Amino acid sequence: MTCRLQSLASSPEYLNYEDGKFSKSRGMGVFGDMAQDTGIPADIWRFYLLFLRPEGQDSAFSWTDLMLKNNSELLNNLGNFVNRAGMFVCKFFGGRVPPMELGADDKRLLAHVTLELRQYNQLLEKVRIRDALRCILSISRYGNQYIQVNEPWKRIKGHDADRTRAGTVTGVAVNIASLISVMLQPYMPSISATIQRQLCVPQACNVLTDTFLCLLPPGHQIGTVTPLFQKLEGEQIEALRKRFGGGQPEDSTLELKAHAARMASADMTPPGPGGGAVLAGDPQKVKELAEEVAKQADRVRQLKASKAEKGQINAEVAKLLELKKQLALAEGKTPEPPAPKGKKRK
């Protein structure tokens, strides 16, 4: 079964899970009632699922990609920009938005932001939710580049002209952060509210137009600024991948045992890869299973040669072992027990 994301105004394609499909009966994938137990905030889930929303073609949830998007797009891009803009106001200007004297570079930035804002509005009108979200990330990237090029932390220590320039850059940056807080509301409501609380964004600023304007005026007092996101670590993600990688739910254990008993009483082996029962000594089934084993063995070798992710390789090895077991049963043999972990059979 695949998990289909639905919208009142549009019908997207299918979202798959890693290299397979979502399956609650097999414990494959994270479902709504499980997500809160992962320790990952709800807004991160909202962001990632909307970021890869399968609007034009199928897409796949990936734990590694979730970690990368959180750490790059949210932590290092959006979160970094909003945090720096607010911190500069607090550290260099006593928590009040400084006066801004806009030059050619500043106006060019405002024009870029306006283009992204207009694109965002148009995309949401067309229910292209994923692409509209990417407009927000583009704006924060522009903001980071703007800060990095102008280096207000250096200019604030210089002469009057440099300090004025530092004030302009800081004022423009914190106004862009305010705009981002409004644009994020449909996607990450908790993060949006946190930014607005930190920057003390007035209610009147919560309306989007097609033109970006600096609505936080000089002298506007902001609040305490703290980081918005936390880094996701590889060990944490690997543990979650294993946890939701296909283990049988506890409530299905009895059903599985009953099924095995029925198969045994009928003098059959468990179902083969095609879904039908495999009778011991059936030459056709033996041939089919031998071919499946050969194909799966080739796939495992290719994954190892290409240095694929460990979790993906382990999943394919498990499939290979199961196919070998089915083949042995079809040949009337007793399946070999799995080799101890870390040791190879001679």
Side-chain angles (χ1 to χ4, degrees):
M1 141 179 148
T2 49
C3 179
R4 186 151 196 167
L5 298 182
Q6 294 292 346
S7 166
L8 291 176
S10 69
S11 180
E13 302 304 320
Y14 287 93
L15 176 68
N16 294 315
Y17 181 78
E18 298 268 287
D19 294 317
K21 297 179 180 180
F22 282 86
S23 174
K24 204 161 190 177
S25 62
R26 293 187 293 117
M28 183 73 75
V30 184
F31 293 83
D33 56 348
M34 305 172 186
Q36 62 181 346
D37 297 328
T38 63
I40 298 175
D43 268 17
I44 306 302
W45 284 111
R46 291 172 62 95
F47 164 80
Y48 184 63
L49 292 173
L50 291 170
F51 187 91
L52 57 83
R53 187 173 186 264
E55 295 182 353
Q57 60 185 15
D58 292 356
S59 62
F61 172 92
S62 162
W63 284 107
T64 299
D65 190 48
L66 169 63
M67 178 179 69
L68 292 174
K69 293 296 185 294
N70 177 84
N71 295 349
S72 60
E73 294 293 357
L74 293 181
L75 181 64
N76 294 334
N77 176 17
L78 193 151
N80 181 59
F81 169 66
V82 173
N83 187 255
R84 292 173 88 188
M87 287 298 295
F88 291 156
V89 174
C90 295
K91 185 175 180 180
F92 302 143
F93 302 98
R96 294 187 179 277
V97 176
M100 293 163 275
E101 297 180 7
L102 302 182
D105 289 343
D106 309 306
K107 292 176 181 178
R108 191 175 300 113
L109 172 66
L110 267 58
H112 282 306
V113 173
T114 291
L115 285 175
E116 293 290 344
L117 174 59
R118 289 176 180 171
Q119 183 79 348
Y120 169 91
N121 289 333
Q122 291 168 6
L123 289 168
L124 284 186
E125 286 288 339
K126 298 175 182 177
V127 201
R128 290 173 58 184
I129 298 171
R130 179 190 63 196
D131 293 337
L133 174 58
R134 298 182 186 199
C135 291
I136 303 174
L137 299 174
S138 293
I139 290 175
S140 62
R141 272 192 287 273
Y142 280 129
N144 274 315
Q145 293 167 4
Y146 177 66
I147 288 176
Q148 208 60 34
V149 167
N150 285 282
E151 301 180 320
W153 61 92
K154 291 184 179 179
R155 292 180 181 272
I156 196 67
K157 302 174 183 177
H159 298 298
D160 289 347
D162 281 336
R163 289 196 294 271
T164 298
R165 183 64 189 150
T168 297
V169 172
T170 300
V172 170
V174 78
N175 268 282
I176 294 175
S178 174
L179 171 69
I180 286 174
S181 75
V182 182
M183 297 174 74
L184 274 178
Q185 285 176 355
Y187 296 95
M188 307 178 77
S190 295
I191 293 297
S192 169
T194 298
I195 299 172
Q196 297 213 344
R197 184 171 61 253
Q198 291 184 7
L199 302 184
C200 301
V201 177
Q203 187 61 35
C205 295
N206 277 267
V207 177
L208 291 180
T209 64
D210 276 344
T211 303
F212 169 58
L213 300 172
C214 292
L215 298 178
L216 298 183
H220 172 80
Q221 179 75 55
I222 72 169
T224 302
V225 177
T226 56
L228 298 171
F229 305 104
Q230 291 185 341
K231 184 178 181 181
L232 290 177
E233 301 291 349
E235 296 82 359
Q236 176 188 2
I237 291 301
E238 187 59 32
L240 289 169
R241 178 185 284 112
K242 291 178 180 178
R243 178 179 170 186
F244 297 101
Q248 292 290 350
E250 291 182 4
D251 59 2
S252 65
T253 303
L254 293 177
E255 181 182 346
L256 288 171
K257 289 181 178 179
H259 177 68
R262 289 194 299 272
M263 298 296 287
S265 65
D267 195 25
M268 294 179 178
T269 64
V278 179
L279 294 174
D282 184 340
Q284 182 61 32
K285 282 296 180 184
V286 170
K287 180 181 177 181
E288 291 176 0
L289 283 165
E291 291 175 353
E292 291 289 338
V293 167
K295 290 179 183 178
Q296 186 65 16
D298 285 340
R299 174 164 174 74
V300 170
R301 281 193 290 271
Q302 291 171 3
L303 289 172
K304 289 181 176 179
S306 63
K307 297 182 179 180
E309 293 180 9
K310 184 178 178 181
Q312 183 180 3
I313 293 175
N314 289 343
E316 296 301 326
V317 168
K319 292 178 184 178
L320 176 59
L321 293 175
E322 179 61 25
L323 284 169
K324 287 183 175 180
K325 177 182 176 182
Q326 302 300 334
L327 177 59
L329 290 168
E331 292 173 335
K333 301 176 182 177
T334 301
E336 293 184 19
K341 191 172 183 180
K343 296 183 180 180
K344 294 183 178 179
R345 291 191 182 95
K346 293 181 180 180

